[in-house]
Amino acid sequence: MLIHSKRALITGITGQDGSYLAELLLAKGYEVHGLIRRSSSSNVGRLNHLQNYFKDESGKSGNRLCLHFADLTDASRLSQLVHSIQPAEVYNLAAQSHVHVSFEQPVYTADVTGLGTTRLLEAIRELQEQTGSQVRFFQASSSEMFGKVAEIPQTEATPFYPRSPYGVAKLYAHWITVNYRESYNLHASCGILFNHESPRRGEAFVTRKITRAVGRIKSGLQKVLKLGNLEAKRDWGFAGDYIEAMWSMLQQPQPDDFVIATGETHTVREFCERAFSRVGLDYRDFVEIDRRDFRPAEVDVLLGDATKAKESFNWTPRVNFEMLVDMMVDADLMVAHQEAARSD
């Protein structure tokens, strides 16, 4: 198998970002390969709507989406797949990405989120040396690397100060990507992604936790929503916008690092207020503070400046905060209605 200009490999394809990126690449005519972890239950729900693209059991062409069992902790399997697929573009979206969980599983988080990136980069470096063809690599870096922010807003030049094992692991992955770019002439770019959400966001994340609860409360399935720090400020964007930035980075002649953000910050309280008002409710009647949801080391405010991305490849977000919250509430209200109907 030879490197094809429109063959891509996505780690974390079953996640929010991975599913949106798979959609985008398929729409652009790519052959898409995704890595998934073996599980006793199906974990490809976010990809079900793409089933017409899946290859059949014989692997014949025509359909352009193929999934492979693998894990970022398994270097030999990663190397085997990278060499057999020979992708032109690799998007590393896989991670243990929940901040709160990273405090409970710091070693696992470091292994997957940090060292996993190194294992993947090594496989790409070896493939590139053997074939002589350039592989373009995208690393999903995180605004959590800024942590205890040194300045507001945060740019590519802002010093990092992570405040969680997740942030520290992402920082390692970010710098090892930069190191491989400079040491081995890899076309490796990092997108420093600020918080980005969608109806496909995992339910453990605060935004989806809120909109899921709004739908259930409105449908009579839930009475209370327990949250942590309502005053934490975040720069929230739409995942569908952010994956377009990922793709654009790999189309640039030279690799680089880019902040991807909306340039607006809102509190968790504001998110609650907008979400509950979407269905005619007052969040103050339903939200309770639970100290267990506070982080051991809090990140108070994240606000990104994406000027460099705009100037380099004309990226700007199309979905604003209000549109994003409304989109998520509407989707979760429909889910809750269906849940209520099944329970009748």
Side-chain angles (χ1 to χ4, degrees), residues 123-199:
I124 293 168
R125 180 188 65 79
E126 293 170 355
L127 173 64
Q128 192 161 291
E129 286 183 355
Q130 291 177 11
T131 63
S133 298
Q134 187 179 64
V135 180
R136 300 194 171 199
F137 177 77
F138 172 81
Q139 168 61 21
S141 294
S142 170
S143 60
E144 289 287 335
M145 300 187 309
F146 292 119
K148 189 176 182 180
V149 298
E151 62 183 4
I152 299 173
Q154 294 89 55
T155 71
E156 294 81 4
T158 301
F160 298 119
Y161 194 144
R163 298 268 283 170
S164 67
Y166 168 73
V168 173
K170 275 292 187 182
L171 184 54
Y172 171 85
H174 175 86
W175 279 120
I176 199 66
T177 300
V178 173
N179 181 259
Y180 269 65
R181 177 170 74 211
E182 296 176 349
S183 301
Y184 304 113
N185 195 32
L186 293 187
H187 192 295
S189 294
C190 298
I192 305 174
L193 309 173
F194 280 65
N195 295 67
H196 47 289
E197 321 297 317
S198 76

Side-chain angles (χ1 to χ4, degrees), residues 236-253:
W236 278 302
F238 172 52
D241 289 340
Y242 284 42
I243 57 96
E244 293 181 1
M246 299 176 190
W247 177 81
S248 294
M249 286 180 213
L250 296 199
Q251 313 316 306
Q252 302 309 300

Side-chain angles (χ1 to χ4, degrees), residues 255-271:
D256 208 342
D257 305 324
F258 299 91
V259 164
I260 304 299
T262 69
E264 293 183 7
T265 187
H266 298 271
T267 63
V268 175
R269 187 183 300 277
E270 288 177 86
F271 197 104

Side-chain angles (χ1 to χ4, degrees), residues 93-102 109 113 166 170 201 205:
L93 310 184
Q96 191 303 99
S97 59
H98 197 278
V99 173
H100 192 83
V101 170
S102 78
T109 299
T113 306
Y166 168 73
K170 275 292 187 182
R201 189 60 148 150
F205 293 88

Side-chain angles (χ1 to χ4, degrees), residues 4-10 13 21 25 30-34 64 66 85-91 250:
H4 188 281
S5 61
K6 283 201 169 183
R7 181 179 298 134
L9 172 64
I10 303 172
I13 194 171
L21 181 59
L25 296 181
Y30 280 70
E31 176 184 312
V32 177
H33 295 258
R64 294 178 284 111
C66 187
I85 296 168
Q86 299 204 4
E89 297 174 7
V90 177
Y91 297 84
L250 296 199

